[in-house]
């Protein structure tokens, strides 16, 4: 056969990949590529250098370090038998136990060991929250600090099996939230405090109720707790109304003797204070706010002082006015406000201090109105001859103890605590006199030291009786209140000397803050050195009794 001749189309390559324009021609040797064209990494180790050995593989964060010895293991590592369960001791006061847990995160709080006050279907959550709020309302209305109210509310809810509770306390509003679990909706209840009253007898009864409910060996059901709470609300005051008026008069008379008054001054101050108390009760019966009640109560002592200055009698009229002011200065609210601020409850502290400011302004308005009238009548009121320091240690100590006794009666304390408070007030005055008069210490520093001692004794008595510290502290600081400095400031302002008046009022404010801070510091010092017993026996175990401190913000 004759082969067919190949055409031009048959000599074409089959595809474009059959021949490359960059391929080396056939018959020529392949040249070696230059050294820099060899594929390599710019991070390769140069020749002549030994590469570093590879790092050791990273171990587990939970693995013990190489220096760990199982024979001599330090307490920082988990022991072989595990970590013991954190339990709060039964013998510690419930106030300290609840404060300790309130400052813990929710996930670190120990779960109640037994829910011995529950029914089989579980705790009655709405009734437990309602009981908790009612008890918190009585405590807050009685003048208790916000931290102590939260501790009591947490103790009640926890005792009835509601461990995931968060109480919140402000000046007029109480709320509590219970979280059953991570998937269930929270239950929240709140209550508004509309009326406040001073009855430390009722406050002590509420503390006993909280102690009985939170005690592990007691079995207080919800019905029993409600019944006892109703009895506390209906209980009679330990002292009648006429006894309160008489105590107010004796208080003013003792305060006037404390600043140098004699028998005539004592009688005048007592009568004027009783008149002011009756006027305040009349204003309260007519529904006037507390501001106007303080205005009405401050006017009779100032009027009696002006009348005595206009009379031919040689009487220290300024001591009469100063004695009347002692019965009106709101020391209880001031101490509670500063305590709330120092413990981190700033909203409640601001509200309490604002209340103190309004009450002090009411006293200023009442006294200044009468003093302006006295100067219009040419009364001989001079600040340089008003009150001078009189060294009468025995008489002044007895007057200070009488003043504390009358304060305790006016606060409606239990009769068994009145004598302890009287003794505490006498000790506070002796310490103040020894520091200010004998040692020459500044009055502000001496007042703070005496108030700190009052706080220490009050907290120790409260721990001994498992009660509130307020009944043992509030009346005992009565002799330290800045009555004379307040009067000097008001008198100078009424005479037109604004700068000396403001300086004296600033001194009164400094003394008041020294009292409040000293009382709180004494209470915290007692908690610091009187250690609450925790889980004992094994070294290194966690002690849950102490309170956790607030984290330092470093100014941020």
């Amino acid at each position: 056969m004759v082969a067919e001749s190949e055409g031009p189309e048959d000599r074409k390559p089959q595809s474009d990949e059959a021949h490359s324009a960059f391929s080396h021609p056939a018959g020529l040797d392949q040249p070696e590529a230059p050294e820099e064209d060899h594929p390599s990494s710019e991070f390769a180790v140069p020749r002549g250098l030994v590469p570093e050995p590879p790092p050791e593989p990273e171990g587990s964060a939970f693995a013990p370090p190489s220096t760990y010895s199982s024979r001599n293991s330090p307490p920082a590592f988990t022991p072989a038998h595990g970590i013991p369960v954190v339990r709060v001791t039964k013998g510690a006061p419930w106030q300290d136990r609840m404060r300790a847990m309130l400052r813990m995160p929710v996930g670190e709080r120990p779960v109640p060991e037994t829910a011995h006050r529950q029914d089989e279907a579980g705790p009655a959550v709405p009734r437990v929250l309602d009981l908790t709020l009612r008890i918190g309302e009585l405590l807050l209305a009685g003048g208790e600090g916000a931290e102590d109210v939260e501790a009591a509310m947490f103790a009640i809810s926890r005792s009835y099996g509601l461990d995931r509770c968060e109480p919140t306390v402000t000046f007029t509003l109480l709320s509590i939230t219970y979280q059953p679990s991570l998937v269930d909706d929270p239950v929240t209840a709140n209550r508004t405090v509309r009326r406040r009253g001073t009855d430390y007898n009722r406050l002590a009864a509420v503390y006993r109720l909280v102690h009985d409910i939170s005690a592990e060996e007691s079995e207080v059901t919800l019905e029993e707790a409600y019944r006892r709470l109703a009895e506390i609300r209906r209980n009679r005051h330990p002292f009648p109304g006429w006894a309160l008026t008489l105590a107010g008069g004796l208080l003013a008379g003792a305060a006037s003797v404390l600043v140098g008054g004699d028998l005539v001054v004592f009688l005048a101050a007592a009568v004027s204070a009783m008149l002011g108390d009756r006027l305040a009760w009349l204003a309260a019966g007519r529904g006037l706010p507390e501001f106007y009640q303080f205005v009405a109560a401050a006017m009779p002592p100032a009027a009696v002082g002006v009348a005595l200055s206009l009379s031919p009698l040689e009487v220290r009229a300024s001591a009469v006015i100063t004695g009347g002011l002692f019965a009106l200065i709101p020391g209880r609210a001031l101490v509670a406000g500063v305590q709330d601020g120092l413990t981190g409850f700033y909203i409640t502290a601001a509200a309490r201090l604002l209340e103190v400011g309004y009450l002090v302004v009411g006293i200023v308005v009442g006294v200044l109105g009468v003093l302006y009238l006295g100067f219009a009548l040419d009364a001989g009121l001079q600040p340089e001859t008003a009150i001078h320091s009189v060294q009468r240690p025995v008489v002044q100590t007895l007057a200070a103890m009488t003043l504390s006794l009358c304060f305790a009666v006016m606060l409606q304390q239990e009769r068994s605590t009145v004598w302890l408070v009287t003794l505490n007030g006498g000790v506070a005055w002796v310490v103040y006199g020894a520091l200010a008069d004998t040692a020459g210490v500044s009055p502000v520093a001496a007042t703070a030291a005496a108030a700190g001692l009052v706080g220490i004794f009050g907290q120790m008595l409260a721990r001994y009786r498992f009660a509130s510290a307020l009944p043992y502290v509030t009346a005992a600081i009565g002799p330290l209140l800045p009555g004379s400095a307040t009067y000097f400031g008001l008198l100078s302002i009424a005479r037109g000397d604004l700068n000396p008046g403001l300086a004296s009022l600033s001194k009164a404010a400094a003394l008041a803050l020294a009292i409040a801070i000293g009382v709180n510091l004494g209470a915290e010092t007692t908690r610091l050195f009187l250690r609450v017993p925790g889980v004992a026996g094994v070294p290194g175990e966690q002690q849950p009794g102490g309170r956790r401190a607030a984290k330092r913000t470093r100014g941020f």
Side-chain angles (χ1 to χ4, degrees):
M1 291 179 61
V2 179
E4 295 181 3
S5 61
E6 296 180 357
E9 296 180 358
D10 298 332
R11 292 193 296 268
K12 290 182 180 180
Q14 300 298 323
S15 65
D16 293 338
E17 297 179 357
H19 179 75
S20 174
F22 300 96
S23 59
H24 190 72
L28 295 179
D29 296 334
Q30 182 75 21
E32 296 182 0
E35 184 179 358
E36 59 270 11
D37 291 340
H38 286 288
S40 61
S41 173
E42 59 182 1
F43 299 102
V45 180
R47 295 179 180 178
L49 294 180
V50 179
E52 296 181 359
E56 297 180 359
E58 184 178 358
S60 172
F62 300 97
S66 58
T67 57
Y68 175 77
S69 174
S70 59
R71 180 173 300 177
N72 300 319
S73 61
F77 301 110
T78 304
H81 52 80
I83 300 178
V85 179
V86 177
R87 301 187 193 284
V88 182
T89 26
K90 302 177 182 179
W94 65 264
Q95 299 99 314
D96 295 323
R97 289 187 282 123
M98 295 305 111
R99 286 193 193 100
M101 284 188 288
L102 276 175
R103 295 196 174 187
M104 291 182 184
V106 179
E108 298 181 11
R109 292 174 183 171
V111 181
E113 300 178 16
T114 56
H116 57 278
R117 300 182 185 91
Q118 302 182 30
D119 297 332
E120 293 183 0
V125 175
R127 296 195 66 195
V128 172
L129 297 184
D130 179 71
L131 177 67
T132 303
L133 291 174
R134 290 178 182 273
I135 291 178
E137 178 190 9
L138 287 180
L139 293 177
L140 188 62
E144 193 61 80
E147 186 180 28
D148 295 325
V149 175
E150 282 196 0
M153 294 173 64
F154 190 74
I156 297 298
S157 60
R158 185 179 177 82
S159 298
Y160 286 107
L162 306 185
D163 56 318
R164 297 185 185 90
C165 282
E166 285 295 333
T168 304
V169 176
T170 58
F171 186 56
T172 58
L173 182 66
L174 298 167
S175 65
I176 185 168
T177 301
Y178 170 60
Q179 182 76 40
S181 65
L182 295 178
V183 296
D184 294 330
D185 295 332
V187 181
T188 303
N190 55 62
R191 195 173 183 87
T192 303
V193 179
R194 302 191 182 277
R195 295 189 60 185
R196 300 178 182 275
T198 304
D199 189 349
Y200 283 176
N201 183 39
R202 177 180 296 176
L203 188 69
V206 175
Y207 260 75
R208 284 194 294 269
L209 175 60
V210 176
H211 170 66
D212 293 342
I213 293 176
S214 59
E216 294 292 338
E217 63 274 6
S218 65
E219 291 285 344
V220 181
T221 62
L222 279 174
E223 289 73 16
E224 177 70 15
Y226 268 108
R227 185 188 62 80
R228 291 181 57 178
L229 188 62
E231 292 178 355
I232 292 173
R233 286 182 174 274
R234 292 193 302 263
N235 69 341
R236 297 177 59 88
H237 299 303
F239 302 101
W242 62 266
L244 300 183
T245 302
L246 182 61
L250 291 177
L251 189 152
S256 64
V257 173
L258 201 64
V259 294
D262 52 9
L263 180 60
V264 178
V265 172
F266 175 86
L267 295 176
V271 172
S272 64
M274 287 189 286
L275 288 176
D277 182 75
R278 288 295 93 190
L279 278 179
W281 277 105
L282 182 62
R286 295 296 184 271
L288 293 178
E290 197 172 10
F291 175 84
Y292 299 105
Q293 297 175 27
F294 271 76
V295 173
M299 294 177 67
V304 172
V306 170
L308 289 176
S309 64
L310 292 173
S311 67
L313 298 176
E314 293 293 332
V315 178
R316 293 193 182 95
S318 301
V320 176
I321 304 176
T322 302
L325 291 179
F326 266 87
L328 298 177
I329 296 177
R332 173 181 58 90
L334 176 66
V335 171
V338 174
Q339 178 183 356
D340 288 341
L342 294 177
T343 52
F345 295 85
Y346 301 113
I347 297 178
T348 307
R352 288 187 189 270
L353 294 179
L354 185 61
E355 180 191 28
V356 172
Y358 272 105
L359 298 182
V360 170
V361 169
I363 298 173
V364 169
V365 170
V367 174
L368 277 182
V370 178
L371 290 182
Y372 280 130
L373 179 61
F375 281 114
L377 297 176
D378 199 14
L381 294 172
Q382 299 293 331
E384 58 269 14
T385 60
I387 299 174
H388 61 275
S389 178
V390 181
Q391 299 295 332
R392 299 183 298 177
V394 178
V395 175
Q396 288 179 326
T397 303
L398 292 177
M401 296 177 67
T402 304
L403 192 150
S404 299
L405 173 65
C406 295
F407 253 126
V409 172
M410 294 178 65
L411 293 172
Q412 295 284 5
Q413 292 190 195
E414 291 181 302
R415 297 181 180 181
S416 60
T417 65
V418 170
W419 305 110
L420 295 174
V421 173
T422 302
L423 181 61
N424 199 6
V427 172
W429 179 257
V430 169
V431 172
Y432 171 79
L435 293 177
D437 298 334
T438 304
V441 180
S442 169
V444 177
T447 300
L453 194 63
V454 168
I456 290 176
F457 287 162
Q459 190 65 33
M460 291 177 64
L461 290 172
R463 281 170 167 265
Y464 175 73
R465 294 197 169 202
F466 291 90
S468 171
L470 282 182
Y472 304 99
V473 169
T474 306
I477 64 173
L480 305 176
L481 293 176
S484 58
T486 304
Y487 169 70
F488 283 150
L490 298 180
L491 183 62
S492 299
I493 292 175
R495 296 177 69 249
D497 299 332
L498 188 60
N499 291 334
L502 293 179
S504 184
L505 290 180
S506 300
K507 180 182 177 182
L511 291 173
L513 290 177
I515 293 173
I517 295 176
V519 169
N520 182 264
L521 183 60
E524 295 294 333
T525 304
T526 306
R527 296 194 188 109
L528 180 64
F529 289 101
L530 291 183
R531 184 176 181 181
V532 179
V535 181
V538 182
E541 287 187 1
Q542 185 177 356
Q543 301 289 337
R547 291 193 305 168
R548 287 194 174 188
K551 289 186 176 181
R552 183 182 176 188
T553 58
R554 301 183 182 273
F556 300 152

